[in-house]
Amino acid sequence: MSRPQRVLDPEIDEAARAVFLAQGPSAPLQDIAKRLGISQAALLHRVGTKEALMLRALRPMPPTALALLEPGPRPDTSVEDQLLEALLHHRDFLRQLVPWLFVLHYSELGGARALRAKTPPPVALREGLTVWLTRAKRSRRVELAAPKVVAEALCGALEARCFNAHVGGATYAPGEDAAVLRQLIRALIVPSEPPARARKQPKPRTAR
């Protein structure tokens, strides 16, 4: 008879995440162990405590949109389109993150203890976006007085939409995300040059 294959750490985290999100912080460890096909004792031997498992399964990771922002503004794409791309990427990250935060907040860990980090995800994204906007301003791609304030406005609006949508569904965050974010970008940021499609083309010379 072959020995059962060892359960990997990512598999434990994924199973715990699914159970905690479905049942809340009071979910029994037995349900997680059953999902993994191991005993509760074996699960505890691997993770230590239920709180430790919850923390490692649900603790927020750094925002993945930072990888898009780190190289700075690309010269071949409008600032508006690049910002929209990064914000929609961050929206997908937040849609995953917000339910995790709810579970952690209502657990015995408490939100503050569970979310303690060197740089919390919301702060990290604001800092990365501020740097990106500052570089766009210095390269004269956009006109804006305070990159940090614009970053706060964009991130705050996006976080509010994701939180409201999680609490009350689409009726709490009306409108299509991309359309709302694009209008917000246009309200906050003035491009130094008009989009290529909007520039007037020289009139062809007529033969005399």
Side-chain angles (χ1 to χ4, degrees):
M1 185 176 178
S2 60
R3 297 177 61 184
Q5 187 175 3
R6 177 180 172 84
V7 177
L8 302 177
D9 284 346
E11 294 174 318
I12 294 176
D13 294 343
E14 183 179 354
R17 193 175 300 125
V19 172
F20 285 133
L21 288 174
Q23 302 181 36
S26 61
L29 279 177
Q30 181 59 40
D31 287 3
I32 301 171
K34 183 178 180 180
R35 192 181 184 98
L36 292 164
I38 60 177
S39 68
Q40 181 172 322
L43 178 59
L44 281 171
H45 179 73
R46 291 285 297 276
V47 303
T49 65
K50 178 180 178 179
E51 288 73 21
L53 175 58
M54 186 181 301
L55 191 59
R56 78 182 222 181
L58 298 176
R59 193 167 199 167
M61 64 190 77
T64 51
L66 289 174
L68 294 176
L69 296 170
E70 197 278 331
R74 303 189 303 273
D76 59 337
T77 310
S78 71
V79 167
E80 179 183 310
D81 287 345
Q82 292 180 64
L83 275 175
L84 183 61
E85 177 188 14
L87 290 173
L88 290 176
H89 188 96
H90 191 53
R91 176 205 59 186
D92 295 339
F93 172 85
L94 289 173
R95 284 178 173 174
Q96 179 187 63
L97 178 64
V98 169
W100 299 8
L101 298 182
F102 270 81
V103 174
L104 288 171
H105 179 75
Y106 289 106
S107 71
E108 293 183 2
L109 292 168
R113 177 186 168 195
L115 301 178
R116 190 177 300 152
K118 185 176 181 180
T119 306
V123 177
L125 199 281
R126 282 162 171 74
E127 290 176 351
L129 186 54
T130 298
V131 171
W132 192 94
L133 289 168
T134 301
R135 294 174 69 175
K137 179 181 179 180
R138 288 175 178 170
S139 63
R140 298 182 180 179
R141 298 284 302 279
V142 296
E143 297 177 9
L144 67 164
K148 186 175 182 179
V149 174
V150 173
E152 174 64 37
L154 291 172
C155 292
L158 181 55
E159 289 161 2
R161 285 185 63 82
C162 290
F163 177 86
N164 289 342
H166 177 71
V167 172
T171 56
Y172 275 50
E176 201 273 324
D177 287 333
V180 172
L181 290 171
R182 188 178 289 279
Q183 290 301 317
L184 182 58
I185 292 168
R186 290 176 178 175
L188 293 171
I189 298 173
V190 178
S192 296
E193 295 182 1
R197 61 179 179 275
R199 295 174 190 160
K200 293 183 179 180
Q201 299 297 326
K203 295 182 179 180
R205 294 182 179 179
T206 55
R208 293 183 179 179

